[in-house]
Each structure stands twice: as structure tokens, then as C-alpha cells.
Amino acid sequence: MSQKQIPGPKLNLIFSTWRKLVKQPLNFLLEIHKDYPGIAHIKAFNRKLVLLTDPTLIRFVLQTNQKQYTKGSQYKFLQLILGNGLVTSEGDLWKRQRKLIQPAFHKQYINTLFDDMLVCTNMMMKDWDEYAKTGKELYLSDEMMKVTLRIISKTMLSTDVNSEAETIRTSLIFIGTQIAQKAMK
């Protein structure tokens, strides 16, 4: 039986492209998805990455066949930063943690957060109106990160981190760069 080759760009990611992936991941991934919808194979330095955008394939990997997939070595570095939590754990520990956090994602609980989410979204729209008046360029990935931070801080921490959003964003980019550098070793 022959194995099918996953389609994807033929180039090995060079530094400037890798930088774009770290600084503007959404734009980078959207470009790949546009050329290779559903599934794409990306070579990044000595790593092989697979981008899944087809819901059926995503369900197959994350639900139907999840036991066949493990987290990569970069999670070991991430574990130093985040600890042995839901993002970095696997197996039985991951199952226990997932079961504990699952009620926080129940539809009825999420519905109670809707008003706060709407306030944060309206704040983003107000910011966009200001950008439109100045004609300044804005990056969707940065804006999505800001609104995500606003929503998480408001709904999960009952606080507003809007004034610290740029510092948090810069820190996350730094952490992402560190993880990428460790993954290349």
C-alpha cells in the first residue's frame, strides 16, 4: 500500500518566514490554508508540521483517534513555563484535568459570560472605528489576541488587562520564539 503525500509548500521555512509565523501566526496560517485547504505539510527547519483546517480531520485527530497522537518535544519546554497542566499533560493526567475543567465550558455557563464577551467585542469595534478614522493599518491577528485577552481576563479573572495587552502580547511572542528555538535543537 502506498502512502499519500500531504500537500504543502515545497520550501523549507527560512528565518523571515518563521518570524512571520511567530509574529503573525493567523495571517501565516491563513495564507497556507488558502493554497492548501484542509491539510498542509510545512517543513520548518528540521521539523515537519501538519496544518489541519478541515473539521473532519481535526475531529479525527483530537477525538476519534487521539490516542495515536502525542505532544511534541516543544511541550517539554512549555511545561517549564506552564507546569504540568491541561495544555502540557497527556494520558490519564490530561483526562483527569480535562474532566475537572469541563464544567467551565458547559453551554449554560458560557451563556452567562455572553454579556462580558459582548462588552469586550464592542470595545474592540470602538477601537477599530478609531483606527478607521486615522487610516492606520491594523493586524487582525494582533486584534484577535487583544480581544481574547480582554475576554479571558474579564470572564475568568474578573479584571481588565487592556492597558497591559501589548506587554502580554510581547511576552507571548517572546515565549513562542523561545519554544520555536528549543524545538529546532
Side-chain angles (χ1 to χ4, degrees):
M1 178 190 262
S2 67
Q3 192 174 9
K4 281 189 173 183
Q5 188 72 13
I6 298 173
K10 300 294 181 216
L11 61 124
N12 196 358
L13 294 182
I14 56 176
F15 185 70
S16 61
T17 309
W18 185 258
R19 216 170 171 181
K20 184 176 180 182
L21 170 63
V22 173
K23 286 194 174 206
Q24 295 181 358
L26 184 60
N27 293 339
F28 176 82
L29 296 174
L30 284 172
E31 286 175 20
I32 299 291
H33 169 69
K34 197 173 8 173
D35 294 334
Y36 304 95
I39 185 170
H41 177 258
I42 307 163
K43 291 179 185 174
F45 297 97
N46 291 325
R47 294 286 207 209
K48 295 176 183 176
L49 308 173
V50 177
L51 172 64
L52 297 177
T53 55
D54 179 292
T56 304
L57 294 174
I58 294 168
R59 175 173 281 131
F60 179 80
V61 170
L62 296 179
Q63 287 182 340
T64 311
N65 231 10
Q66 53 91 10
K67 288 182 181 178
Q68 279 190 302
Y69 302 93
T70 59
K71 294 180 178 172
S73 59
Q74 64 273 24
Y75 278 88
K76 299 291 182 212
F77 177 73
L78 192 57
Q79 199 170 37
L80 295 173
I81 298 166
L82 299 177
N84 202 13
L86 189 62
V87 172
T88 58
S89 64
E90 294 184 287
D92 290 337
L93 177 60
W94 178 86
K95 283 181 189 174
R96 282 194 306 275
Q97 291 175 335
R98 175 69 173 91
K99 193 173 182 178
L100 286 171
I101 200 166
Q102 193 165 352
F105 293 96
H106 191 274
K107 185 179 177 182
Q108 289 173 328
Y109 177 70
I110 296 293
N111 285 340
T112 66
L113 305 176
F114 180 78
D115 288 339
D116 287 335
M117 292 178 186
L118 186 60
V119 166
C120 294
T121 303
N122 286 335
M123 287 173 64
M124 178 184 67
M125 298 305 290
K126 184 179 174 189
D127 291 347
W128 287 8
D129 284 340
E130 294 303 314
Y131 269 105
K133 289 175 188 173
T134 65
K136 284 184 182 176
E137 190 176 79
L138 65 105
Y139 294 98
L140 185 60
S141 57
D142 292 347
E143 294 301 306
M144 292 296 103
M145 183 179 284
K146 283 183 204 173
V147 75
T148 301
L149 285 172
R150 280 180 178 164
I151 290 171
I152 290 172
S153 66
K154 183 74 172 158
T155 59
M156 302 294 169
L157 306 172
S158 299
T159 189
D160 181 6
V161 297
N162 192 42
S163 60
E164 292 90 8
E166 186 57 30
T167 302
I168 294 168
R169 181 180 133 350
T170 304
S171 299
L172 290 173
I173 289 171
F174 174 77
I175 291 169
T177 303
Q178 295 301 308
I179 291 169
Q181 287 173 353
K182 292 287 183 183
M184 290 185 290
K185 291 182 180 180

